[in-house]
Amino acid sequence: MSANLAPVASVSPITDESPTTDGFNLVIDALKLNGIKTIYGLPGIPITDLTRKAQAQGLRVISFRHEQNAGNAAAIAGFMTGQPGVCLTVSAPGFLNGLTALANATTNCFPMILISGSSEREIVDLQQGDYEEMDQVAVAKSLCKAAFRVLNAEDIGVGIARAIRAAVSGRPGGVYLDLPAKLFSQAMDAAAGTASLIKVVDPAPRQIPAPDAVQRALDLLKGAKKPLILLGKGAAYARADADIRALVERSGIPYLPMSMAKGLLPDTHELSAAAARSYVLPEADVVLLIGARLNWLLSHGKGKTWGGKDHKAWGGQKFIQIDISPTEMDSNVRIDAPLVGDIGSCVAALLGGIDAQWPKPPAEWLNAVFDRRNKNVAKMGETLAKDPKPMNFHSALNVVRDIIKANPDAMLVNEGANALDFTRSIVDMYKPRKRLDVGTWGVMGIGMGFAVAAAIESGEPVIAIEGDSAFGFSGMEVETICRYNLPVCVVIMNNNGVYRGTDQNLSGGSDVAPTVFVKDARYEKMMEAFGGVGVYATTPAELRKGIEEAIRSRKPTLINAIIDETAGTESGRITSLNPAAAAKK
Ligand code: ADP
Ligand code: TPW
Ligand code: MG
């Protein structure tokens, strides 16, 4: 059949002369057709050739040492770009290793597609013990937005189109796509194959809010005496940066960024109430949530954090919530003005009602907020100016704070407990989507996967501030960082353990306590082992020199920053969630 004849899918006869294609090529073509440029994965049966052929055909294939890190890389690539990040794994065990990242992506509303090879349906369904046998679709289903399996080559286009739509439309999340081994070698007429592919049109359609919902929100906001705006990572994801900034500035309402919304407006913005968080949450009368859920990170919108009289009581605030998911409304407390739609459209609609006559919030409220903030900022300044020996979290992070200020385009990856909480409060961010962290679950192990994707997707230097425990979850990927020669500088806040290095074995036995690691571990040698730069830093000056040199040279670098092992607190800032501590409350 000549290539320019109108192809009839699947029924086209394959003759010796017909150019043919196969499952491998169709998967690659479908991804490329939809603008996917990078696959994060780990090769093996049955997808080894898929990685080779994908690379040969111009996709960038980033091979990891463990699928969880490849999955985390894909997930955060999705957050950074708004396009689904793609992770590719082998059957059963590889798939399971990737699944934690898929579940985490779904929890965090990051668009991601986990593509996994799988073994033969006939054998799996009869449970006859195939190589790496598992009903992967069944396992994945409860952990992602959607799960699909493609059995026939002519359905690859539809399978990938559905996966892309499911990942990025509505509330974004993780999608599983199951590709059994036999699919890859299925041959089909090349022209029919090409015609079967779908370039997805408008994968994340705008969702325009209803005008009466917009008016309700504006009315509530206008009547507020102590309004507050809360920006979540959904607001960062939505890429409505200019309109969100205009909404804050035109309304004159103080705002609080959630962790990954830091930098959506510069943290040094005059309307930032970040340093007055514990004052504004209980005091505010109307709170506008933009892409932030009232989950545990916001104490479920009630209790003492919000001025409630006990830990479950409503604090009296009225809430306006912008979210693309209608069922998010009233999840924890009453939402008085739900504004359902995409953040770009909702914020634009609100802006339409905020003109020059819009009443600025009462001066008493603004003065109270900014007095509190300025006092806290000054107090923090004093703490940061100290130079204790050994170095503590504050003196080390003061260095990182300066470096991000001087390099606002750099990406910041962050995980740990104290290493996370102190970084979040000390290191100001200046640009959107630069801070990538443990997200909704507070999961450890995102570090090196996020760092790899951050470098690849942005091209900017990456600084990963890691607790020594947190680093251990993905530390082997320093080899990946060296292999691709990525401009990643890992800084390990080394306090010899989980939270602290000082716990004692309560039995008096010879094992160390469960939270304690080898003392004075030389993590920097891990980077040197693969040809990167290792730095052992015991002072802020050594740390500064190490990070500055890493940014300048763009060489893979690991700085072992020696932190006072008594400096941390149990569970960082969430001590209250520890059952033992909660029992004492
Ligand atoms: P944070 O942890 O920063 O508070 P969450 O992850 O809890 O943020 O909340 C993000 C919210 O943003 C989710 O409820 C999600 O549905 C919503 N969201 C994500 N993208 C969009 C978008 N483009 N438009 C509207 N809402 C969105
Ligand atoms: C997948 C529980 C939360 S924080 C943390 C653990 C193990 C490590 C804290 O020590 P680190 O930081 O990183 O050295 P620091 O600065 O306080 O000393 N497993 C997973 N996720 C979580 N959250 C845990 C365990 C945890
Ligand atoms: Mg530690």
Side-chain angles (χ1 to χ4, degrees):
M1 192 175 94
S2 102
N4 56 11
L5 271 183
V8 183
S10 68
V11 294
S12 313
I14 297 177
T15 65
D16 285 350
E17 310 88 67
S18 316
T20 61
T21 186
D22 61 14
F24 285 119
N25 286 304
L26 288 167
V27 171
I28 294 163
D29 291 347
L31 292 173
K32 284 173 67 177
L33 183 66
N34 283 290
I36 304 294
K37 296 193 169 58
T38 307
I39 293 176
Y40 299 94
L42 201 157
I45 293 174
I47 49 97
T48 317
D49 269 352
L50 186 61
T51 62
R52 291 196 186 103
K53 288 173 199 262
Q55 191 174 52
Q57 291 173 37
L59 282 166
R60 187 142 194 222
V61 180
I62 305 295
S63 266
F64 283 75
R65 305 299 294 262
H66 189 288
E67 291 88 349
Q68 190 178 121
N69 307 318
N72 284 325
I76 208 65
F79 171 77
M80 290 176 68
T81 65
Q83 265 207 335
V86 173
C87 175
L88 183 61
T89 64
V90 303
S91 330
F95 156 78
L96 286 172
N97 284 345
L99 209 51
T100 307
L102 185 69
N104 189 53
T106 307
T107 299
N108 282 283
C109 317
F110 300 156
M112 159 183 182
I113 302 173
L114 175 66
I115 302 180
S116 183
S118 60
S119 33
E120 300 315 332
R121 290 300 318 149
E122 297 85 341
I123 306 180
V124 173
D125 287 348
L126 272 171
Q127 299 169 35
Q128 292 174 305
D130 202 0
Y131 169 69
E132 299 191 344
E133 174 181 297
M134 175 176 275
D135 187 351
Q136 295 170 195
V137 171
V139 173
K141 251 183 192 155
S142 67
L143 298 169
C144 57
K145 273 184 82 181
F148 304 102
R149 179 185 290 123
V150 181
L151 293 178
N152 297 310
E154 65 259 36
D155 293 330
I156 287 172
V158 168
I160 288 186
R162 300 207 72 189
I164 290 172
R165 279 198 189 280
V168 297
S169 62
R171 171 182 277 177
V175 174
Y176 176 58
L177 186 63
D178 193 88
L179 304 181
K182 262 204 285 204
L183 178 76
F184 295 112
S185 53
Q186 272 181 38
M188 107 179 247
D189 175 81
T194 302
S196 72
L197 301 184
I198 295 174
K199 183 169 166 49
V200 177
V201 176
D202 193 12
R206 285 191 305 155
Q207 299 194 19
I208 315 291
D212 57 328
V214 174
Q215 197 52 53
R216 191 189 295 122
L218 283 168
D219 291 346
L220 187 52
L221 200 59
K222 204 168 204 169
K225 298 277 177 294
K226 298 174 169 186
L228 177 69
I229 295 176
L230 252 164
L231 301 173
K233 59 173 129 45
Y237 176 78
R239 285 166 188 72
D241 307 344
D243 273 2
I244 288 173
R245 186 171 185 146
L247 179 72
V248 170
E249 292 179 347
R250 273 207 242 157
S251 69
I253 298 175
Y255 74 95
L256 266 185
M258 299 298 288
S259 189
M260 282 178 63
K262 275 167 70 77
L264 188 42
L265 282 81
D267 280 335
T268 47
H269 194 281
E270 56 177 11
L271 288 169
S272 170
R277 188 180 195 273
S278 61
Y279 176 72
V280 293
L281 292 183
E283 284 294 321
D285 63 349
V286 175
V287 179
L288 167 57
L289 298 160
I290 308 181
R293 286 170 285 187
L294 283 173
N295 56 17
W296 70 279
L297 287 159
L298 284 168
S299 307
H300 303 280
K302 56 194 169 189
K304 289 187 174 160
T305 307
W306 292 87
K309 63 180 184 324
D310 59 48
H311 76 289
K312 279 197 173 145
W314 176 50
Q317 288 82 3
K318 303 234 172 201
F319 288 99
I320 304 165
Q321 181 162 24
I322 301 182
D323 206 289
I324 203 155
S325 169
T327 53
E328 186 56 38
M329 307 300 151
D330 304 329
S331 62
N332 287 271
V333 294
R334 176 172 56 239
I335 301 302
D336 303 273
L339 194 49
V340 176
D342 71 277
I343 287 167
S345 301
C346 292
V347 171
L350 288 181
L351 271 177
I354 299 180
D355 52 17
Q357 277 77 51
W358 181 268
K360 288 278 168 343
E364 277 159 56
W365 171 237
L366 297 180
N367 291 339
V369 175
F370 300 137
D371 278 357
R372 189 64 63 113
R373 176 195 66 190
N374 296 345
K375 274 194 197 113
N376 289 344
V377 168
K379 215 161 80 193
M380 176 64 93
E382 283 168 26
T383 311
L384 292 177
K386 290 183 185 146
D387 186 13
K389 305 205 171 44
M391 185 154 67
N392 64 10
F393 286 100
H394 288 91
S395 61
L397 289 167
N398 187 39
V399 169
V400 180
R401 174 185 162 96
D402 287 350
I403 289 175
I404 293 289
K405 187 173 184 188
N407 300 276
D409 286 313
M411 303 294 304
L412 185 75
V413 172
N414 190 199
E415 61 177 335
N418 294 280
L420 175 88
D421 293 336
F422 284 118
T423 305
R424 186 177 57 237
S425 59
I426 293 171
V427 179
D428 289 331
M429 303 304 296
Y430 299 86
K431 297 201 173 181
R433 295 171 294 281
K434 293 291 182 185
R435 186 185 153 84
L436 312 174
D437 69 28
V438 300
T440 303
W441 269 348
V443 67
M444 296 299 110
I446 49 90
M448 298 304 103
F450 277 18
V452 167
I456 288 187
E457 301 291 338
S458 75
E460 300 289 346
V462 179
I463 301 172
I465 306 295
E466 299 275 312
D468 51 333
S469 164
F471 172 73
F473 289 75
S474 67
M476 191 63 208
E477 303 299 342
V478 295
E479 189 275 331
T480 308
I481 291 168
C482 289
R483 183 161 23 101
Y484 295 104
N485 195 23
L486 299 173
V488 173
C489 175
V490 182
V491 178
I492 297 186
M493 296 285 170
N494 187 359
N495 60 356
N496 297 337
V498 176
Y499 314 136
R500 273 186 307 261
T502 50
D503 277 6
Q504 300 296 324
N505 178 338
L506 296 178
S507 80
S510 60
D511 287 351
V512 295
T515 54
V516 169
F517 295 153
V518 166
K519 303 276 182 198
D520 200 27
R522 300 303 296 260
Y523 290 102
E524 75 282 8
K525 294 187 192 294
M526 288 177 67
M527 193 59 104
E528 289 170 359
F530 303 106
V533 177
V535 177
Y536 183 78
T538 59
T539 65
E542 287 165 357
L543 178 58
R544 188 180 301 270
K545 185 160 168 276
I547 306 179
E548 284 177 350
E549 180 57 19
I551 290 181
R552 197 198 54 72
S553 71
R554 293 177 69 91
K555 283 191 189 145
T557 301
L558 192 155
I559 304 178
N560 186 2
I562 309 304
I563 303 291
D564 181 353
E565 65 173 3
T566 67
T569 57
E570 175 95 3
S571 308
R573 292 272 170 86
I574 54 172
T575 310
S576 62
L577 297 182
N578 244 344
K584 286 191 206 132
K585 274 208 304 191

